[in-house]
Amino acid sequence: MFETGLLRGKRILVTGGGSGLGAAMGRRFLALGAELVICGRKLDRLEATASEMRAQSSGKVTTIACDVRDGVAVDEMMDATWREAPLDILVNNAAATFIAQSEHLSFRAADAVLAPTLHGAMYCTLAAGKRWIDGRHNGVVLSILSTSTITGRAFTVPSAMAKSAVLAMTKSLAVEWGPKGIRTVAIAPGPFPTAGASGQLRPVGRDEGWSARNPMGRTGEHSELADLASFLVSDRAGYINGEMVVIDGGAHLRSSGAEDLLRWTDAQWAEQRAARSKG
Ligand SMILES: CCC/C=C/C(=O)SCCNC(=O)CCNC(=O)[C@H](O)C(C)(C)COP(=O)([O-])OP(=O)([O-])OC[C@H]1O[C@@H](n2cnc3c(N)ncnc32)[C@H](O)[C@@H]1OP(=O)([O-])[O-]
Ligand SMILES: NC(=O)C1=CN([C@@H]2O[C@H](COP(=O)(O)OP(=O)(O)OC[C@H]3O[C@@H](n4cnc5c(N)ncnc54)[C@H](OP(=O)(O)O)[C@@H]3O)[C@@H](O)[C@H]2O)C=CC1
């Protein structure tokens, strides 16, 4: 689909790159000639993913254990990365979410989502941006958001709030940092099956017909998201700034994706909370 070497010479950090969509984007970036850095909290998973990537590609893959909720750890990760060479592209992909009735959310539960999804993306963006600006180096920040930024979303309110805030960051910095050579862009994925998303959002028995109701009759392929991400971070997208591209088969035009949960009974929600506390 793309010219060979579209991302040659680009050094890309994908937060949460050890699993799911982050790993899918990483694989495509490598195939297009990029050098990859992936971070997450679980070093064993990062290493396992990196080994698979190295087996499939001759590109360089570096792993760094980093909890993006911790600004000091984010700065240390950026220092370690920059010691080797400046990044060219940051992908804010790490995030957390779960379904819950908002009236049952403790403050700690709200923070469990806001901290990685909003603060983590902000810390990584600030840490990369100040290094790019100090070094007069061009950069791109791609943030993986959600169609909840357009529709809102019942039962995942902290996630919808965090993703909307990162969209505001994307638009604001496009104007502030564009003149300094930094583009900020975003993707709003619809449903792309991953272990993380299924585990947090789709307990067994939840609305089995949802993917057939997507206007395209299916969920997204990881390769489709990886292709869009590759284009947006590449120099071919050099005039796209401050924009969020939706990739959801048209799903959000039909539903915000939480209607089935409005029909859940108190007993179902109690069961969901109990499953979590056992988990
Ligand atoms: C919407 C579409 C767009 C987004 C899609 C995605 O992001 S897909 C990607 C999806 N991928 C991921 O999400 C991967 C990353 N996920 C994670 O890192 C973790 O699963 C976590 C941070 C979400 C929860 O971490 P943990 O289990 O270690 O939590 P903890 O022990 O640190 O507790 C902190 C507080 O949170 C509370 N609480 C926790 N869970 C629930 C719940 N289900 N129900 C209610 N409450 C919950 C817990 O009770 C506690 O409050 P308390 O009782 O002290 O007042
Ligand atoms: N799949 C889908 O349908 C959709 C996904 N998205 C978004 O796509 C992105 C990827 O999600 P997906 O691949 O599905 O799910 P995953 O659960 O696989 O991805 C989340 C990643 O974030 C990392 N992570 C979580 N918390 C932290 C933290 N505090 N510090 C560093 N890394 C962290 C996890 O690694 P570790 O646990 O090792 O820290 C994991 O690799 C997310 O931003 C999500 O909101 C948006 C809409 C729909």
Side-chain angles (χ1 to χ4, degrees):
M1 170 167 180
F2 294 116
E3 67 201 50
T4 315
L6 179 75
L7 299 177
R8 191 170 295 134
K10 304 290 187 194
R11 194 147 191 266
I12 308 180
L13 168 62
V14 181
T15 67
S19 67
L21 300 181
M25 286 185 278
R27 279 187 207 101
R28 178 65 99 248
F29 295 159
L30 277 171
L32 291 168
E35 185 186 321
L36 187 65
V37 183
I38 54 176
C39 82
R41 291 164 301 174
K42 302 183 192 94
L43 189 58
D44 51 347
R45 183 160 72 176
L46 289 170
E47 286 297 349
T49 302
S51 296
E52 281 169 32
M53 288 171 166
R54 290 179 193 120
Q56 288 163 3
S57 156
S58 56
K60 184 172 174 191
V61 188
T62 306
T63 60
I64 305 187
C66 176
D67 186 333
V68 298
R69 295 174 294 186
D70 177 350
V72 172
V74 167
D75 253 335
E76 285 170 2
M77 169 174 71
M78 294 299 183
D79 280 342
T81 305
W82 249 262
R83 267 196 293 279
E84 215 167 300
L87 286 177
D88 301 288
I89 294 158
L90 164 69
V91 181
N92 286 318
N93 169 76
T97 190
F98 48 76
I99 52 168
Q101 288 169 301
S102 298
E103 64 273 29
H104 283 289
L105 285 175
S106 68
F107 295 158
R108 270 173 48 83
D111 286 349
V113 175
L114 292 172
T117 313
L118 167 53
H119 290 90
M122 175 107 226
Y123 295 161
C124 291
T125 303
L126 294 178
K130 77 176 179 194
R131 286 166 177 80
W132 282 327
I133 291 165
D134 286 350
R136 297 182 187 279
H137 192 95
N138 289 353
V140 180
V141 179
L142 168 65
S143 297
I144 307 303
L145 303 181
S146 162
T147 53
S148 64
T149 54
I150 303 167
T151 61
R153 188 153 303 145
F155 306 109
T156 51
V157 170
S159 170
M161 291 171 66
K163 298 289 190 183
S164 298
V166 179
L167 176 58
M169 178 185 81
T170 302
K171 291 179 180 175
S172 308
L173 288 180
V175 175
E176 189 177 335
W177 284 358
K180 297 175 193 273
I182 299 169
R183 281 193 303 123
T184 48
V185 289
I187 293 177
F192 284 77
T194 64
S198 305
Q200 300 292 348
L201 302 173
R202 304 228 141 249
V204 175
R206 183 185 165 192
D207 191 20
E208 304 294 356
W210 63 290
S211 95
R213 282 200 304 280
N214 183 293
M216 303 311 292
R218 64 175 175 87
T219 51
E221 302 284 344
H222 289 197
S223 60
E224 292 172 320
L225 184 121
D227 281 339
L228 176 59
S230 299
F231 169 64
L232 284 177
V233 301
S234 78
D235 293 339
R236 294 285 180 187
Y239 204 50
I240 301 178
N241 190 22
E243 202 54 49
M244 177 178 76
V245 180
V246 175
I247 176 165
D248 75 337
H252 77 284
L253 301 172
R254 183 165 180 176
S255 157
S256 78
E259 280 68 16
D260 62 306
L261 294 177
L262 286 169
R263 292 190 296 276
W264 270 24
T265 61
D266 287 347
Q268 278 173 296
W269 280 114
E271 200 179 313
Q272 172 68 17
R273 286 195 298 278
R276 142 72 195 158
S277 59
K278 275 184 232 135

